[in-house]
Amino acid sequence: AHLPFAVIGSTEELKIGNKMMKARQYPWGTVQVENEAHCDFVKLREMLIRVNMEDLREQTHTRHYELYRRCKLEEMGFKDTDPDSKPFSLQETYEAKRNEFLGELQKKEEAMRQMFVQRVKEKEAELKEAEKELHEKFDRLKKLHQDEKKKLEDKKKSLDDEVNAFKQRKTAAELLQSQAQQAGGSQTLKRDKERK
């Protein structure tokens, strides 16, 4: 009976009489938001919140929410009709999507497993190559060591031979010197005898 509503709103509170009220100040006067003689805000509030709240909730749920839900499900790939426009269960759609997702997941897992195996094989090949190089280097160093050892043994042998030869010459020289001294000593005795 009161349609259309004439509504005025305000967030400001003004002091009217001895009370603070929501109102709007105009050059020609003050309009109080909750005064039914000034505006229809109270009637609109009554109609929406007290009288028609259940209808509003029901309309919101059945029309707006269901429309929103259907749009979101269609965006995700769920439809309540098949391509021939025949209705079918969302459970079947869910199961089909789930199976499709699990199939893709298994493919990805298999690809990752194969990549892992390939990388492990590559790493093993690298390690075997490095091990082979280390063995070759060890063999080279071992051969160099043996060659050096042989050279040192040959040098030691030649030095020992030289030392032995030197000792023999020294012994021979000492023997000659001692013989010469003995011979020189006997001549000295003869001379001493002759002088006396």
Side-chain angles (χ1 to χ4, degrees):
H2 295 284
L3 292 175
F5 294 112
V7 177
I8 295 174
S10 177
T11 55
E12 297 175 13
E13 290 193 0
L14 300 174
K15 187 169 186 175
I16 300 171
N18 57 358
K19 282 186 168 182
M20 293 296 287
M21 302 180 89
K22 291 208 184 268
R24 184 170 286 192
Q25 184 72 40
Y26 290 103
W28 45 266
T30 304
V31 177
Q32 298 172 11
V33 173
E34 295 188 1
N35 187 341
E36 288 187 33
H38 293 184
C39 77
D40 293 330
F41 177 76
V42 175
K43 293 174 187 163
L44 177 64
R45 185 175 61 194
E46 286 287 320
M47 184 194 77
L48 289 176
I49 296 178
R50 294 203 176 107
V51 177
N52 295 323
M53 178 58 89
E54 190 59 35
D55 290 338
L56 184 63
R57 283 179 46 202
E58 189 176 320
Q59 286 290 325
T60 301
H61 181 73
T62 57
R63 182 174 294 162
H64 303 296
Y65 174 71
E66 285 301 321
L67 181 63
Y68 167 79
R69 184 173 165 273
R70 181 182 300 151
C71 290
K72 284 297 178 186
L73 286 172
E74 285 177 359
E75 284 177 13
M76 292 169 56
F78 296 103
K79 295 181 181 177
D80 55 356
T81 59
D82 62 6
D84 300 330
S85 297
K86 294 178 182 175
F88 66 96
S89 170
L90 280 177
Q91 183 66 27
E92 293 172 5
T93 307
Y94 170 76
E95 289 297 327
K97 287 283 185 185
R98 184 173 183 271
N99 291 336
E100 181 183 333
F101 175 75
L102 289 175
E104 289 177 10
L105 185 64
Q106 286 177 345
K107 286 179 186 177
K108 286 181 182 177
E109 283 180 1
E110 186 61 32
M112 288 175 69
R113 189 175 295 116
Q114 288 176 356
M115 187 186 313
F116 177 74
V117 168
Q118 181 182 0
R119 286 187 179 174
V120 166
K121 286 180 180 178
E122 289 173 359
K123 196 66 173 176
E124 283 179 350
E126 288 177 14
L127 290 174
K128 284 182 181 179
E129 186 66 31
E131 185 179 10
K132 184 179 175 185
E133 289 176 6
L134 283 174
H135 280 296
E136 290 173 357
K137 186 176 181 182
F138 176 74
D139 291 341
R140 276 196 314 269
L141 290 174
K142 188 175 179 182
K143 188 175 181 202
L144 283 172
H145 176 69
Q146 287 175 348
D147 292 344
E148 288 291 324
K149 186 175 179 182
K150 188 176 179 185
K151 285 179 185 177
L152 287 174
E153 286 176 356
D154 290 344
K155 197 169 187 179
K156 181 182 175 192
K157 188 176 178 185
S158 67
L159 286 174
D160 285 343
D161 290 344
E162 286 179 22
V163 167
N164 287 337
F166 177 76
K167 283 182 181 178
Q168 288 175 356
R169 283 194 307 246
K170 181 180 173 186
T171 307
E174 287 175 353
L175 182 64
L176 285 174
Q177 190 177 16
S178 66
Q179 286 176 355
Q181 283 178 356
Q182 284 177 357
S186 57
Q187 286 179 358
T188 310
L189 283 173
K190 281 182 183 180
R191 282 186 210 152
D192 287 341
K193 283 184 184 180
E194 287 175 5
R195 280 188 199 163
K196 288 186 184 180

